[in-house]
Every structure is written in C-alpha cells, then in structure tokens.
Amino acid sequence: MIPEIGHFSLWLALGVALLLATLPLAGSLPLALPFGAVPQVRPQWVALARPLTYVFGVTIVVAYGCLTASFVRNDFSVLYVAMHSNTDLPLPYRVAGVWGGHEGSLLLWLMLQVVWMSAVARFSRTLPAEVVGRILGVLGMVAVGFLLFTLTTSNPFERLLPVPPNGRDLNPLLQDPGMVIHPPMLYMGYVGFSVAFALAVAGLIGGG
C-alpha cells in the first residue's frame, strides 16, 4: 500500500506542477488586444504561485517518504528496493539506498528542488507578485520535465513479482559514511542552479 501511495503522490505532483507551470506564468503576462488595448495581469492567477508550490512540496515529500519507508521496511516487492538493498544493510545505508540508483536519484533531485522552490516562495516577499509568479512558473516547468521522465521511464515504485526473500545489495561503493551525505549535498548545489535559471528566464520574460 505504501508504494501505491508514493506512486499516486508522484502523479498528483505532476498535476500540481502543470498548474504551477501555466497559471501563475500566464497570469503575469498582459495580453495585447485589438486597437492597442492591453488588459491588466490576472492577480488571482499569479497569487496561486506560492500555494501551488507548497502543495507540490507536500506531494513530493510524501512520495520520497514512501520510498524511504519501503527501504527501511525491506519491502522487496518494490523492484527498486530489491535491486539496491537487503536485510543485512545497516539502517543508514538502507536510507542511503533511496538514492543508490537512477530512479531514486531522480526522486532525490525532485525532493531537493522542493527545498529550493519553497525557499524562493518563502523569501521572495519583497519582489513583485508578477516576478515571483514567473520564477515559480519556470521552476514548475522544470519539475514537470523531471516528473514526466520519472513516471514514464524511471518509476521507483514498480512492483516485483514474485517477491524475493532478500534483495541484491547496495552498491559497495556507496557503503561508506561519506557517501551517505555526499550525494544529497552534491545535488543540493546542482539543483540550486535551476533557481538561477528561473531568475534569468523570468527576467527575459519581463523584458528585464
């Protein structure tokens, strides 16, 4: 049941990300009409940027938590868990097994993107609402791309039948205390570049 909740949360996250990638961005762009009339931006659409960001964050946190719980519980009915863990692994390495392969690394990337997006939403109170809507809208587009790739080609919640009595094992190269903290720290820096990208694109959209 836990993997199904995680899988559903990823699909829900995709729907929220699509809304975030369209409504605030569209609402921040005045549309030219015949005879030179330009209507005001739609503030009610722009105002959705922060709430949608937080809802998106909740869905990703739930999905990440479900995958982590599957590793901690040694749920080898999940293919990804069976490929990257076993019952002999200490708990820290079972938690690190979440990012021990391609599928979990993508989910870790999304999790850290949530951290950055939430930080932008929280600490951008001094910026105009239209600018914040554009920044979070661009970050929503990035999230849509990663979610589509994850759900269509790299689903970490795929089931395995029949269920094996034990998993294969975590990559021996990852069974080191340094590797428990190294990938999250590395990804935090990589994902942070998406914020700089969103700021640049938002500036271009606004004519800055």
PDB file of all heavy atoms in Angstrom, residues 15 39 60-61 65 80 82 114 120 136 141 155 159 162 172 175 177 183 189 201:
ATOM      1  N   GLY A  15       0.317  16.803 -11.732  1.00  0.00           N
ATOM      2  CA  GLY A  15      -0.820  17.692 -11.974  1.00  0.00           C
ATOM      3  C   GLY A  15      -0.616  19.058 -11.353  1.00  0.00           C
ATOM      4  O   GLY A  15      -0.897  20.097 -11.980  1.00  0.00           O
ATOM      5  N   PRO A  39      -5.012  44.512 -21.359  1.00  0.00           N
ATOM      6  CA  PRO A  39      -5.655  44.317 -20.054  1.00  0.00           C
ATOM      7  C   PRO A  39      -4.633  44.149 -18.944  1.00  0.00           C
ATOM      8  O   PRO A  39      -3.454  43.884 -19.195  1.00  0.00           O
ATOM      9  CB  PRO A  39      -6.449  43.015 -20.252  1.00  0.00           C
ATOM     10  CG  PRO A  39      -5.659  42.269 -21.278  1.00  0.00           C
ATOM     11  CD  PRO A  39      -5.103  43.318 -22.213  1.00  0.00           C
ATOM     12  N   ILE A  60       5.637  15.720  -3.154  1.00  0.00           N
ATOM     13  CA  ILE A  60       6.963  15.133  -3.337  1.00  0.00           C
ATOM     14  C   ILE A  60       7.498  14.577  -2.025  1.00  0.00           C
ATOM     15  O   ILE A  60       8.116  13.496  -1.994  1.00  0.00           O
ATOM     16  CB  ILE A  60       7.939  16.169  -3.928  1.00  0.00           C
ATOM     17  CG1 ILE A  60       7.511  16.576  -5.351  1.00  0.00           C
ATOM     18  CG2 ILE A  60       9.360  15.613  -3.949  1.00  0.00           C
ATOM     19  CD1 ILE A  60       7.517  15.434  -6.347  1.00  0.00           C
ATOM     20  N   VAL A  61       7.267  15.282  -0.920  1.00  0.00           N
ATOM     21  CA  VAL A  61       7.714  14.789   0.385  1.00  0.00           C
ATOM     22  C   VAL A  61       7.032  13.457   0.703  1.00  0.00           C
ATOM     23  O   VAL A  61       7.668  12.521   1.216  1.00  0.00           O
ATOM     24  CB  VAL A  61       7.426  15.824   1.483  1.00  0.00           C
ATOM     25  CG1 VAL A  61       7.600  15.210   2.870  1.00  0.00           C
ATOM     26  CG2 VAL A  61       8.349  17.031   1.335  1.00  0.00           C
ATOM     27  N   GLY A  65       9.014  10.051   1.151  1.00  0.00           N
ATOM     28  CA  GLY A  65       8.842   9.343   2.406  1.00  0.00           C
ATOM     29  C   GLY A  65       8.386   7.912   2.202  1.00  0.00           C
ATOM     30  O   GLY A  65       8.825   6.997   2.917  1.00  0.00           O
ATOM     31  N   TYR A  80      12.830  -1.565  -7.159  1.00  0.00           N
ATOM     32  CA  TYR A  80      13.964  -0.686  -6.873  1.00  0.00           C
ATOM     33  C   TYR A  80      14.598  -1.036  -5.526  1.00  0.00           C
ATOM     34  O   TYR A  80      15.828  -1.020  -5.388  1.00  0.00           O
ATOM     35  CB  TYR A  80      13.497   0.771  -6.892  1.00  0.00           C
ATOM     36  CG  TYR A  80      14.596   1.773  -6.679  1.00  0.00           C
ATOM     37  CD1 TYR A  80      15.583   1.967  -7.639  1.00  0.00           C
ATOM     38  CD2 TYR A  80      14.667   2.528  -5.508  1.00  0.00           C
ATOM     39  CE1 TYR A  80      16.608   2.883  -7.444  1.00  0.00           C
ATOM     40  CE2 TYR A  80      15.678   3.449  -5.310  1.00  0.00           C
ATOM     41  CZ  TYR A  80      16.648   3.621  -6.278  1.00  0.00           C
ATOM     42  OH  TYR A  80      17.662   4.527  -6.088  1.00  0.00           O
ATOM     43  N   ALA A  82      14.503  -4.028  -4.056  1.00  0.00           N
ATOM     44  CA  ALA A  82      15.152  -5.330  -4.225  1.00  0.00           C
ATOM     45  C   ALA A  82      16.486  -5.212  -4.953  1.00  0.00           C
ATOM     46  O   ALA A  82      17.397  -6.005  -4.721  1.00  0.00           O
ATOM     47  CB  ALA A  82      14.223  -6.272  -4.989  1.00  0.00           C
ATOM     48  N   VAL A 114      12.204  20.813  -4.378  1.00  0.00           N
ATOM     49  CA  VAL A 114      11.147  21.302  -3.495  1.00  0.00           C
ATOM     50  C   VAL A 114      11.729  22.235  -2.432  1.00  0.00           C
ATOM     51  O   VAL A 114      11.132  23.268  -2.102  1.00  0.00           O
ATOM     52  CB  VAL A 114      10.418  20.109  -2.836  1.00  0.00           C
ATOM     53  CG1 VAL A 114       9.645  20.538  -1.597  1.00  0.00           C
ATOM     54  CG2 VAL A 114       9.475  19.455  -3.822  1.00  0.00           C
ATOM     55  N   VAL A 120      12.390  29.895  -2.315  1.00  0.00           N
ATOM     56  CA  VAL A 120      12.038  31.032  -3.169  1.00  0.00           C
ATOM     57  C   VAL A 120      10.674  31.587  -2.790  1.00  0.00           C
ATOM     58  O   VAL A 120      10.497  32.812  -2.671  1.00  0.00           O
ATOM     59  CB  VAL A 120      12.055  30.610  -4.658  1.00  0.00           C
ATOM     60  CG1 VAL A 120      11.477  31.720  -5.537  1.00  0.00           C
ATOM     61  CG2 VAL A 120      13.473  30.272  -5.106  1.00  0.00           C
ATOM     62  N   LEU A 136       8.511  31.030 -10.128  1.00  0.00           N
ATOM     63  CA  LEU A 136       7.967  29.743  -9.695  1.00  0.00           C
ATOM     64  C   LEU A 136       7.335  28.988 -10.856  1.00  0.00           C
ATOM     65  O   LEU A 136       7.331  27.758 -10.883  1.00  0.00           O
ATOM     66  CB  LEU A 136       6.951  29.959  -8.573  1.00  0.00           C
ATOM     67  CG  LEU A 136       7.540  30.480  -7.252  1.00  0.00           C
ATOM     68  CD1 LEU A 136       6.437  30.752  -6.239  1.00  0.00           C
ATOM     69  CD2 LEU A 136       8.552  29.483  -6.688  1.00  0.00           C
ATOM     70  N   MET A 141       7.906  24.332 -14.585  1.00  0.00           N
ATOM     71  CA  MET A 141       8.200  23.667 -15.865  1.00  0.00           C
ATOM     72  C   MET A 141       9.342  22.664 -15.723  1.00  0.00           C
ATOM     73  O   MET A 141       9.289  21.561 -16.284  1.00  0.00           O
ATOM     74  CB  MET A 141       8.574  24.724 -16.918  1.00  0.00           C
ATOM     75  CG  MET A 141       7.440  25.598 -17.353  1.00  0.00           C
ATOM     76  SD  MET A 141       8.001  26.778 -18.627  1.00  0.00           S
ATOM     77  CE  MET A 141       6.490  27.712 -18.891  1.00  0.00           C
ATOM     78  N   ASN A 155      10.216   4.767 -12.931  1.00  0.00           N
ATOM     79  CA  ASN A 155       9.316   4.714 -11.782  1.00  0.00           C
ATOM     80  C   ASN A 155       9.968   3.955 -10.621  1.00  0.00           C
ATOM     81  O   ASN A 155      10.234   2.753 -10.736  1.00  0.00           O
ATOM     82  CB  ASN A 155       8.009   4.023 -12.189  1.00  0.00           C
ATOM     83  CG  ASN A 155       7.048   3.881 -11.027  1.00  0.00           C
ATOM     84  OD1 ASN A 155       7.179   4.548 -10.003  1.00  0.00           O
ATOM     85  ND2 ASN A 155       6.078   3.001 -11.180  1.00  0.00           N
ATOM     86  N   ARG A 159       6.428  -2.579  -8.982  1.00  0.00           N
ATOM     87  CA  ARG A 159       6.345  -3.795  -8.169  1.00  0.00           C
ATOM     88  C   ARG A 159       7.123  -4.941  -8.814  1.00  0.00           C
ATOM     89  O   ARG A 159       7.342  -4.972 -10.028  1.00  0.00           O
ATOM     90  CB  ARG A 159       4.891  -4.197  -7.991  1.00  0.00           C
ATOM     91  CG  ARG A 159       4.091  -3.298  -7.055  1.00  0.00           C
ATOM     92  CD  ARG A 159       4.497  -3.462  -5.617  1.00  0.00           C
ATOM     93  NE  ARG A 159       3.512  -2.895  -4.699  1.00  0.00           N
ATOM     94  CZ  ARG A 159       3.582  -3.018  -3.383  1.00  0.00           C
ATOM     95  NH1 ARG A 159       4.589  -3.671  -2.829  1.00  0.00           N
ATOM     96  NH2 ARG A 159       2.655  -2.482  -2.612  1.00  0.00           N
ATOM     97  N   PRO A 162       7.451 -12.730  -8.650  1.00  0.00           N
ATOM     98  CA  PRO A 162       7.219 -12.975  -7.210  1.00  0.00           C
ATOM     99  C   PRO A 162       8.190 -12.198  -6.339  1.00  0.00           C
ATOM    100  O   PRO A 162       9.268 -11.810  -6.797  1.00  0.00           O
ATOM    101  CB  PRO A 162       7.450 -14.482  -7.091  1.00  0.00           C
ATOM    102  CG  PRO A 162       8.414 -14.789  -8.195  1.00  0.00           C
ATOM    103  CD  PRO A 162       8.046 -13.873  -9.334  1.00  0.00           C
ATOM    104  N   PRO A 172      28.567  -1.529  -3.348  1.00  0.00           N
ATOM    105  CA  PRO A 172      29.608  -1.429  -2.310  1.00  0.00           C
ATOM    106  C   PRO A 172      30.291  -0.065  -2.265  1.00  0.00           C
ATOM    107  O   PRO A 172      30.750   0.369  -1.198  1.00  0.00           O
ATOM    108  CB  PRO A 172      30.597  -2.534  -2.698  1.00  0.00           C
ATOM    109  CG  PRO A 172      29.782  -3.521  -3.461  1.00  0.00           C
ATOM    110  CD  PRO A 172      28.759  -2.704  -4.207  1.00  0.00           C
ATOM    111  N   GLN A 175      28.565   2.120   0.221  1.00  0.00           N
ATOM    112  CA  GLN A 175      28.532   1.685   1.616  1.00  0.00           C
ATOM    113  C   GLN A 175      29.700   2.296   2.381  1.00  0.00           C
ATOM    114  O   GLN A 175      30.627   1.623   2.837  1.00  0.00           O
ATOM    115  CB  GLN A 175      28.541   0.168   1.697  1.00  0.00           C
ATOM    116  CG  GLN A 175      27.290  -0.458   1.093  1.00  0.00           C
ATOM    117  CD  GLN A 175      27.267  -1.959   1.212  1.00  0.00           C
ATOM    118  OE1 GLN A 175      27.727  -2.521   2.198  1.00  0.00           O
ATOM    119  NE2 GLN A 175      26.716  -2.634   0.203  1.00  0.00           N
ATOM    120  N   PRO A 177      30.361   5.973   5.045  1.00  0.00           N
ATOM    121  CA  PRO A 177      29.685   7.111   5.697  1.00  0.00           C
ATOM    122  C   PRO A 177      29.689   8.381   4.861  1.00  0.00           C
ATOM    123  O   PRO A 177      28.721   9.153   4.863  1.00  0.00           O
ATOM    124  CB  PRO A 177      30.489   7.284   6.998  1.00  0.00           C
ATOM    125  CG  PRO A 177      31.052   5.929   7.278  1.00  0.00           C
ATOM    126  CD  PRO A 177      31.347   5.331   5.925  1.00  0.00           C
ATOM    127  N   PRO A 183      25.983  12.534  -1.855  1.00  0.00           N
ATOM    128  CA  PRO A 183      25.028  12.803  -2.952  1.00  0.00           C
ATOM    129  C   PRO A 183      24.003  13.889  -2.638  1.00  0.00           C
ATOM    130  O   PRO A 183      23.758  14.764  -3.487  1.00  0.00           O
ATOM    131  CB  PRO A 183      24.375  11.431  -3.177  1.00  0.00           C
ATOM    132  CG  PRO A 183      25.393  10.448  -2.709  1.00  0.00           C
ATOM    133  CD  PRO A 183      26.024  11.103  -1.528  1.00  0.00           C
ATOM    134  N   GLY A 189      23.577  21.508  -4.575  1.00  0.00           N
ATOM    135  CA  GLY A 189      24.231  22.524  -5.391  1.00  0.00           C
ATOM    136  C   GLY A 189      23.775  22.492  -6.832  1.00  0.00           C
ATOM    137  O   GLY A 189      23.487  23.536  -7.433  1.00  0.00           O
ATOM    138  N   VAL A 201      15.308  33.452 -16.778  1.00  0.00           N
ATOM    139  CA  VAL A 201      14.184  33.337 -17.714  1.00  0.00           C
ATOM    140  C   VAL A 201      13.070  34.297 -17.336  1.00  0.00           C
ATOM    141  O   VAL A 201      12.449  34.933 -18.193  1.00  0.00           O
ATOM    142  CB  VAL A 201      13.667  31.886 -17.760  1.00  0.00           C
ATOM    143  CG1 VAL A 201      12.407  31.785 -18.620  1.00  0.00           C
ATOM    144  CG2 VAL A 201      14.740  30.965 -18.317  1.00  0.00           C
TER     145      VAL A 201
END
